[in-house]
Amino acid sequence: MGRYSAWQEVYSIDESFVGLRGTPAELEQIGREIRREVRQLTGVPVRVAMGATKSLAKVAALGIKRTPDMEGVLHLGRYGEEQMAQILDSIPVTDLWGIAGRTGKRLAAMNVRSARDLRDLDPKWARKKFNVNMERITLELRGNSCIPLEMVPPSVKDQLIFSRSFAQKITTEPEMEQVISLYAQRVSARLRAQGSLAGHLSAWAMTGWADEGTVPHSAQASVGLSVPTDDPITLTKAARALLPKLFPHDGIRYARAGVVLTDLRQADGVQPLPLFQPEFEGRGVGQALDVINRKFATTAVGVGLGGMKAPPGWEMKRELLSKRCLTSWDELMVAAA
């Protein structure tokens, strides 16, 4: 896709923003070329959605998904003001890019239920009641570009998450304690890999949306760390301390959980006094675990409940995992002449 523009942001593993100039008809023609090219070279079908802003391009992507007759390409510039109002009126506000379910509930309480309702809000009011991102989305829905392309990806992430769905439901507190301990150690390895320390940890757990055998429930708790750290023992202890808030009582059938590290800063820029260092800081426990796990296996060794000899029954099943033919000698593709 980068062949078609000098401005490109690789947003995620399956999404990219590209800057293009031209009339809607000209750009839709380029969109069809992009779609054919990607399909021919990768075998992957894609949608090419266009708008004056990132948020409107995401709206166009929703339109393509709903209307197969568009054949995967749409530029919202083909519609007039009245048609755009009708389109935005048909889109629930929670379907918009950047609007999560909890934010959607707050907006609904303010009688903002559609993308059109949000577009017509006073941007300053949206910022006051929510944040600057809500103000930007409001302006972007009006066609004012406020979220620029990020053509140079950040060298490090500003938050790290390790989350998984369970192969079987978690119903007891000891099982959830094992989950949280293991996830805290795995996300700490990612933290050390990018050379960062975390100042804040949060954990969450939730039931499955289609599980009729339990009361719907979700919980989230967080804690600030006294000293920024990447130590797996310190992070595991912090995560386990949140367990009572995540698991109020037995009987809830949790389907998914995660541990999130935020308030990240470079490890070489933080030098706390020895008096304030955590108990295990400076002993190199995390670095030792990383060396062993890189040499033998991702989960060869851990600490406490995170050091398990065999995978627990709740770990996500991976029998249908695609072959890792580019990274594993044992899974190379075999070609028959």
Side-chain angles (χ1 to χ4, degrees), residues 1 33-46:
M1 292 178 64
E33 292 178 14
I34 291 175
R35 194 164 186 264
R36 283 195 299 268
E37 185 85 354
V38 173
R39 184 62 179 267
Q40 180 180 352
L41 297 180
T42 68
V44 178
V46 297

Side-chain angles (χ1 to χ4, degrees), residues 49-50 54-64 74 76 84 87-88 91 96-97 115 141:
M50 305 179 190
K54 282 186 174 181
S55 296
L56 288 176
K58 297 286 281 189
V59 168
L62 293 174
I64 295 173
L74 171 63
L76 286 182
M84 275 301 304
I87 291 170
L88 294 177
I91 298 174
L96 291 174
W97 181 46
L141 291 174

